[in-house]
């Protein structure tokens, strides 16, 4: 009996050692192949989102100042956004504009409360920001900083501005008559050229940021099937085939499957304001990048992006520069523009004079406003093609 009990005990010891060996081996394999596993299955982003959401909700119980809480908001966005918001990545080669790619979790981008926190501060001057926040907005000191402050809180709109069918038709008629209503000189013509390149006839178009529907008028005149305008402010259009939509409704419709899938996205002089608080939005150094990524999530695989922002990728025949003119806007140069259009490839226009910043609008090396020398109004409409190599999820 003693020998039998001894054998059983030895067997249990060996079995325990074997299980321990297997567990240790699995742990070693997980450590060795961690990056491969992450590539195949990805991190549990929903769980991470919940942890960060809880962390942000607990800020109300702390003694942190609103600025310190805002920094925590921004850090949470960075942690969850991951690769998409990593502006330290190398910029790849490309025609005119360099290229950047990132994996995009579309459902997370639209659903996580971490990305859609309410602002904790009114619009802030540059000197009011903490050093950490300043560093993130200048892409770790790679962009020039100038100051030009505005406080134009669109989130405060409680009554809608209504564009009647007759009023929108007037915008269309003026475009057709060659006397368009437009924000900047020749802007409607540039939108028209991009619309012809994309061929918007019969297509469903998303317009990002438009407080007066002059861009939409061009698209409707060119027989777009439907135009949806995404806008922070409270606007209503009564024109058939045109709808305004606020960000909360836009996200809700995407998540419940009732949002249109768009053939093209147009935006003129809007994204350069994203995330800098001028219009009452939450401060987010990657606001523009995330807005373009959201557009990619709701567009077809063959979609085009027609985009106009203050641009200085090239100056004359040389390299341009990036300028953060807080909080008026951002001038996108060779660093910030490729990140703005992550996962999109430049395709139009082809002529240098249609995309390079003319020398007569060059910004002198002082704190003079970019608009005083017309740089802020140099906004060529650049067209990009969607990159679909396993990047959208």
């Amino acid at each position: 009996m003693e020998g039998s009990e001894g054998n059983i005990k030895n067997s249990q010891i060996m079995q325990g050692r074997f299980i321990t060996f297997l567990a240790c081996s699995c742990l070693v394999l997980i450590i060795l192949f961690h990056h491969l596993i992450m590539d195949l299955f990805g991190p549990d982003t929903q769980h991470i989102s919940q942890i960060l959401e809880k962390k942000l909700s607990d800020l109300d119980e702390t003694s942190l100042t609103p600025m310190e809480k805002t920094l925590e908001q921004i850090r949470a966005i960075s942690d969850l956004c991951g690769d998409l918001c990593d502006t330290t990545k190398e910029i790849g080669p490309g025609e005119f504009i360099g290229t950047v790619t990132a994996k995009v979790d579309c459902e997370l981008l639209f659903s996580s409360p971490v990305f859609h926190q309410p602002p904790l501060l009114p619009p802030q001057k540059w000197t009011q920001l903490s050093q950490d926040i300043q560093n993130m907005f200048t892409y770790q000191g790679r962009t020039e900083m100038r100051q030009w402050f505005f406080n134009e809180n669109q989130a405060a709109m409680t009554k809608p501005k209504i564009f009647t069918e007759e009023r929108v038709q007037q915008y269309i008629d003026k475009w057709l008559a060659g006397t368009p209503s437009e924000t900047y000189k020749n802007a409607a013509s540039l939108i028209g050229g991009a619309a012809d390149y994309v061929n918007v006839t019969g297509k469903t178009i998303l317009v990002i940021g438009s407080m007066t529907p002059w861009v939409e008028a061009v698209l409707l005149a060119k027989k777009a099937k439907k135009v949806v305008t995404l806008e922070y402010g409270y606007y209503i259009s009564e024109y058939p085939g045109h709808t305004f939509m606020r960000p909360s409704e836009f996200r809700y419709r995407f998540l419940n499957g009732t949002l249109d899938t768009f053939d093209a996205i147009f935006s003129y002089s809007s994204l350069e304001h994203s995330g800098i608080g001028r219009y009452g939005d939450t401060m987010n150094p990657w606001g523009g990048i995330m807005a373009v990524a959201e557009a990619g999530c709701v567009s077809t695989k063959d979609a085009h992006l027609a985009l106009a922002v203050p641009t200085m990728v090239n100056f004359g025949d040389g390299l341009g520069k990036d300028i953060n003119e807080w909080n008026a806007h951002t001038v996108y140069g060779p660093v910030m523009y490729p990140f703005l259009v992550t996962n999109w490839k430049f395709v139009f226009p082809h002529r240098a004079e249609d995309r390079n910043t003319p020398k007569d609008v060059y910004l002198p090396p002082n704190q003079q406003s970019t608009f005083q020398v017309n740089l802020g109004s140099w906004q060529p409409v650049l067209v990009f093609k969607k990159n679909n190599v396993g990047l959208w999820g």
Side-chain angles (χ1 to χ4, degrees):
M1 291 295 291
E2 290 181 0
S4 176
E5 290 176 355
N7 290 335
I8 293 173
K9 187 174 182 180
N10 288 336
S11 176
Q12 290 174 337
I13 291 172
M14 291 298 292
Q15 187 177 28
R17 288 176 177 174
F18 181 68
I19 292 173
T20 302
F21 171 77
L22 284 178
C24 292
S25 298
C26 289
L27 180 61
V28 170
L29 288 173
I30 289 172
I31 294 172
L32 289 175
F33 296 100
H34 169 74
H35 293 294
L36 176 60
I37 293 170
M38 291 297 286
D39 285 342
L40 289 174
F41 301 103
D44 186 353
T45 51
Q46 293 296 339
H47 180 60
I48 296 172
S49 176
Q50 291 170 4
I51 293 173
L52 292 171
E53 185 182 353
K54 176 66 166 57
K55 180 180 178 181
L56 292 177
S57 66
D58 289 345
L59 291 178
D60 292 337
E61 308 303 321
T62 70
S63 59
L64 296 177
T65 66
M67 182 62 69
E68 290 170 332
K69 291 179 181 178
T70 296
L71 176 59
E72 292 304 312
Q73 281 186 331
I74 294 173
R75 284 173 172 164
I77 292 171
S78 176
D79 290 343
L80 189 58
C81 186
D83 188 34
L84 178 62
C85 296
D86 179 7
T87 57
T88 67
K89 290 185 298 187
E90 183 178 350
I91 299 171
E95 181 189 352
F96 180 57
I97 291 176
T99 58
V100 173
T101 59
K103 290 185 178 180
V104 178
D105 186 333
C106 292
E107 183 173 353
L108 183 73
L109 197 59
F110 277 80
S111 66
S112 176
V114 173
F115 296 140
H116 310 294
Q117 293 288 314
L120 301 177
L121 291 165
Q124 298 289 292
K125 295 181 179 180
W126 182 256
T127 53
Q128 294 175 290
L129 304 183
S130 71
Q131 185 63 48
D132 287 333
I133 294 177
Q134 288 181 352
N135 190 50
M136 286 184 275
F137 273 104
T138 59
Y139 283 32
Q140 300 77 43
R142 287 181 290 164
T143 71
E144 181 178 320
M145 205 295 300
R146 293 170 183 257
Q147 299 182 59
W148 190 19
F149 180 71
F150 287 86
N151 183 349
E152 299 177 325
N153 192 343
Q154 291 292 317
M157 292 181 67
T158 57
K159 293 184 179 180
K161 180 176 181 179
I162 298 174
F163 290 96
T164 64
E165 180 176 351
E166 179 183 14
R167 183 72 180 110
V168 177
Q169 187 62 52
Q170 289 174 355
Y171 279 97
I172 296 172
D173 291 342
K174 292 189 72 173
W175 157 255
L176 293 173
T179 57
S181 298
E182 54 190 4
T183 306
Y184 299 102
K185 183 179 179 180
N186 203 42
S189 178
L190 294 175
I191 289 291
D196 289 339
Y197 179 85
V198 172
N199 185 16
V200 299
T201 301
K203 293 182 177 179
T204 301
I205 312 296
L206 174 67
V207 174
I208 301 177
S210 179
M211 292 184 285
T212 56
W214 66 270
V215 172
E216 295 87 335
V218 176
L219 300 172
L220 291 167
K222 291 184 176 290
K223 307 302 180 185
K225 177 183 177 181
K226 184 177 182 180
V227 178
V228 175
T229 302
L230 177 61
E231 171 57 48
Y232 278 106
Y234 192 6
Y235 300 91
I236 293 174
S237 174
E238 296 177 344
Y239 192 87
H242 177 226
T243 304
F244 279 98
M245 198 175 294
R246 302 184 89 173
S248 57
E249 181 186 359
F250 187 74
R251 294 193 299 269
Y252 176 78
R253 286 182 175 272
F254 172 80
L255 293 170
N256 71 13
T258 60
L259 186 67
D260 291 288
T261 301
F262 299 96
D263 301 297
I265 303 98
F266 280 71
S267 183
Y268 196 102
S269 192
S270 175
L271 290 174
E272 70 269 25
H273 307 298
S274 295
I276 58 179
R278 171 176 171 174
Y279 294 108
D281 50 322
T282 302
M283 278 192 281
N284 178 356
W286 313 282
I289 296 172
M290 294 172 70
V292 173
E294 286 186 353
C297 289
V298 302
S299 61
T300 63
K301 64 182 181 65
D302 298 320
H304 285 89
L305 167 68
L307 177 61
V309 292
T311 300
M312 197 178 181
V313 174
N314 287 343
F315 165 54
D317 297 326
L319 193 65
K321 61 180 176 179
D322 303 82
I323 302 171
N324 186 329
E325 192 163 28
W326 190 271
N327 67 354
H329 58 205
T330 300
V331 177
Y332 288 89
V335 174
M336 297 186 75
Y337 214 135
F339 284 103
L340 177 65
V341 291
T342 294
N343 295 345
W344 295 84
K345 179 184 177 182
F346 173 82
V347 292
F348 178 84
H350 305 296
R351 298 190 312 166
E353 57 266 36
D354 293 331
R355 58 198 194 189
N356 290 357
T357 306
K359 290 185 178 182
D360 61 354
V361 299
Y362 180 61
L363 185 65
N366 55 42
Q367 284 295 316
Q368 186 177 8
S369 164
T370 55
F371 266 90
Q372 288 180 284
V373 289
N374 296 322
L375 177 57
S377 60
W378 173 251
Q379 301 193 29
V381 179
L382 307 181
V383 180
F384 302 83
K385 181 79 171 176
K386 188 176 179 181
N387 185 344
N388 289 288
V389 187
L391 299 171
W392 308 93

